[in-house]
Amino acid sequence: MRVEDFDLFAKFVYQRSGLVLTKEKAYLLDSRLMPVARRWNFKDLGELANALRSKSDEALLADITDAMTTNESSFFRDQKPFDQFRQVVLPRFLQARAATRRLRIWSAACSNGQEPYSLAMILDEEASKMPGWTIEIVATDLCREVLEKAKQGLYTQFEVQRGLPITMLVKHFTQIGDKWQISKQMQGKIKFQQFNLLEPMTALGQFDIVFCRNVLIYFDPATKAKVLEGIGRQMPPDGILYLGGAETVLGVTQAFKPMDGQRGLYVHGSAASTSAAVPGVTPAATAVR
Amino acid sequence: MATCLIVDDSRVVRQIARKILEDLKFTCTEAEDGKKAQEACSKAMPDAVLLDWNMPVMNGIEFLRELRKMPGGDKPKVLFCTTEADLNHIKEALSAGANEYIMKPFDSDIIQTKFSQVGLIG
Ligand SMILES: C[S@@+](CC[C@H](N)C(=O)[O-])C[C@H]1O[C@@H](n2cnc3c(N)ncnc32)[C@H](O)[C@@H]1O
């Protein structure tokens, strides 16, 4: 690939999605954009670059960006964050929202849907503790292709074996050929929607719990800070933010700080000390399986 | 150190599974059919059994039903590991007392998450 074409693609993808493509990732650009070029009947990436220069077709621009996203995910990814959700986060909001009985959750880079569906399955198991509650799960991603897959809830045998306990497979999935589809009931619990984290977030409304996992790693520090600060404005003072295992707010923004004793969970930077926030739940009792 | 009995009539599958499980710090023993597995369990109950379904002499589901009747036979976590990949087989396995179910082909990632789900890896 010509250097000026690489620079063009990298700059375009960065501006549109925040994804940083370094020179070492040139091979990635190659292998991911070739299928796009073929789909649009260009003979090589040089022609695709020319088409991009003319900025003619919005669908082409979206295809190029989509192709550069990494959509790796799994059910109950890393397990522990979901144990914390069941044992720490949910009990906390059951108390804090007892008056309104409303809870809003945002899966902010939901990929193929495993993350929001994992939450929906936990909420289904805990449903008896939440009679009359209105719980909304909004799941968004930049990439249209993964959103389509997420909405269908159709997974390969390989995907349903990574992280999903067999009892949940039996309870919530039906087999279609060699694939597995999640129930209409679970699908109905989630609102899927395309959303770019670089765009203004106000229209999405307020969220008590935000999962923003394994997407900030692809951004540069300034973009990370901007996205985190944006998310902070969509959360009430006692909101809880989840980041991925390799992500942190430390050294990135003051908008959030780590939640005491809960690895991977974050609260508003201005929030009072959090450890005593759940009366009766001592750190020992909340220890994760 | 936790122990795992690997039951499969294919030597190659046993070898692959053994390599993965030893990397996860299990002490492994092997059996090539349900009957041999039963004998092994009557001598020493393992902490886990990785169990194939289709085998000569005694198949996996027959072994599991026998195991659960043995003294101390309720203790081992049993994880099926089989090419049988339909809901009916899975339900049958669960009602016979299986703790998890792996559909072949598997990889180390799948083995690891399944073993941690049944509480054998911290
Ligand atoms: C590796 S996946 C993470 C999926 C899931 N959260 C998890 O932890 O398993 C990263 C996702 O971020 C999405 N993404 C990348 N840039 C984005 C942006 N600017 N706005 C919204 N989503 C974006 C990608 O499309 C991709 O699906």
Side-chain angles (χ1 to χ4, degrees):
Chain A
M1 190 188 316
R2 297 189 313 167
V3 178
E4 56 267 41
D5 287 350
F6 176 88
D7 290 343
L8 175 79
F9 285 124
K11 183 160 169 237
F12 166 73
V13 169
Y14 173 73
Q15 279 174 350
R16 194 171 162 112
S17 67
L19 300 171
V20 176
L21 297 163
T22 52
K23 288 267 184 315
E24 306 87 75
K25 296 263 177 73
Y27 70 93
L28 208 64
L29 210 83
D30 241 72
S31 63
R32 290 189 175 177
L33 289 185
M34 269 319 287
V36 179
R38 248 176 257 127
R39 200 156 58 237
W40 285 80
N41 294 317
F42 297 123
K43 73 174 192 317
D44 56 28
L45 294 188
E47 280 194 0
L48 184 66
N50 286 337
L52 175 55
R53 270 184 199 96
S54 74
K55 289 240 192 299
S56 48
D57 197 328
E58 167 58 27
L60 174 65
L61 306 187
D63 272 6
I64 292 174
T65 324
D66 279 9
M68 293 317 298
T69 60
T70 300
N71 311 116
E72 177 76 13
S73 191
S74 60
F75 288 101
F76 299 94
R77 183 169 186 171
D78 302 331
Q79 197 164 335
K80 191 172 162 177
F82 294 90
D83 293 342
Q84 287 167 307
F85 180 75
R86 192 196 300 263
Q87 294 162 8
V88 180
V89 176
L90 213 48
R92 186 183 159 113
F93 281 108
L94 285 185
Q95 271 193 1
R97 300 289 182 272
T100 58
R101 292 202 248 175
R102 292 184 76 88
L103 197 58
R104 288 192 87 224
I105 304 169
W106 181 18
S107 171
C110 69
S111 188
N112 297 310
Q114 288 99 325
E115 184 175 278
Y117 283 131
S118 299
L119 296 173
M121 287 185 276
I122 293 178
L123 288 166
D124 180 68
E125 284 189 349
E126 305 289 316
S128 65
K129 295 178 191 157
M130 299 174 273
W133 280 64
T134 309
I135 299 176
E136 206 184 331
I137 305 175
V138 177
T140 62
D141 200 286
L142 172 69
C143 177
R144 299 156 307 164
E145 197 184 321
V146 292
L147 277 171
E148 273 321 300
K149 189 177 161 187
K151 275 183 212 163
Q152 285 185 4
L154 199 59
Y155 298 96
T156 64
Q157 177 172 305
F158 188 75
E159 287 169 323
V160 295
Q161 299 215 80
R162 288 186 62 197
L164 186 68
I166 197 69
T167 46
M168 289 205 184
L169 181 75
V170 171
K171 182 157 183 218
H172 295 294
F173 289 76
T174 48
Q175 200 166 18
I176 299 176
D178 57 357
K179 294 213 168 162
W180 296 83
Q181 185 164 38
I182 198 155
S183 66
K184 286 269 172 302
Q185 198 207 342
M186 290 299 113
Q187 288 177 29
K189 292 195 184 293
I190 300 165
K191 247 170 49 196
F192 288 104
Q193 178 184 334
Q194 195 201 10
F195 183 76
N196 184 343
L197 286 168
L198 304 192
E199 283 165 16
M201 300 174 181
T202 331
L204 294 170
Q206 293 279 302
F207 295 99
D208 304 295
I209 306 165
V210 177
F211 280 71
C212 184
R213 302 191 68 218
N214 302 300
V215 58
L216 296 181
I217 33 169
Y218 303 103
F219 297 162
D220 63 12
T223 310
K224 284 180 190 162
K226 181 170 172 269
V227 170
L228 284 169
E229 281 150 25
I231 290 173
R233 286 190 287 276
Q234 301 311 117
M235 290 168 63
D238 62 350
I240 291 181
L241 169 72
Y242 273 82
L243 298 182
E247 296 161 334
T248 180
V249 301
L250 299 172
V252 177
T253 174
Q254 308 278 328
F256 288 98
K257 63 181 182 191
M259 185 173 167
D260 291 344
Q262 302 297 334
R263 208 158 170 262
L265 274 56
Y266 299 84
V267 294
H268 276 290
S270 54
S273 181
T274 52
S275 55
V278 193
V281 183
T282 64
T286 62
V288 172
R289 278 183 278 161
Chain B
M1 206 142 76
T3 54
C4 182
L5 173 63
I6 301 165
V7 192
D8 200 303
D9 57 344
S10 154
R11 201 170 57 84
V12 177
V13 172
R14 291 201 304 271
Q15 243 167 24
I16 295 170
R18 182 174 197 133
K19 167 88 178 64
I20 294 172
L21 285 163
E22 284 180 348
D23 286 346
L24 295 169
K25 304 276 174 281
F26 282 88
T27 305
C28 298
T29 49
E30 299 177 22
E32 63 200 51
D33 61 54
K35 196 90 208 150
K36 294 231 164 69
Q38 207 183 353
E39 284 160 22
C41 288
S42 62
K43 281 185 205 126
M45 274 299 166
D47 299 307
V49 181
L50 189 72
L51 184 62
D52 189 15
W53 194 297
N54 298 306
M55 292 176 292
V57 189
M58 183 193 277
N59 71 22
I61 196 86
E62 288 163 352
F63 160 77
L64 176 56
R65 294 203 175 100
E66 291 305 317
L67 172 73
R68 292 309 191 205
K69 284 186 235 155
M70 290 166 71
D74 55 337
K75 197 195 65 155
K77 304 283 187 201
V78 175
L79 299 89
F80 260 102
C81 184
T82 166
T83 49
E84 301 294 351
D86 60 281
L87 212 44
N88 289 336
H89 276 89
I90 298 174
K91 285 181 179 163
E92 191 181 351
L94 290 176
S95 64
N99 301 91
E100 258 299 340
Y101 198 103
I102 297 164
M103 296 171 263
K104 286 177 185 165
F106 59 87
D107 64 6
S108 59
D109 236 36
I110 292 174
I111 298 267
Q112 179 166 2
T113 51
K114 292 284 183 184
F115 272 75
S116 76
Q117 271 159 6
V118 299
L120 288 167
I121 307 174

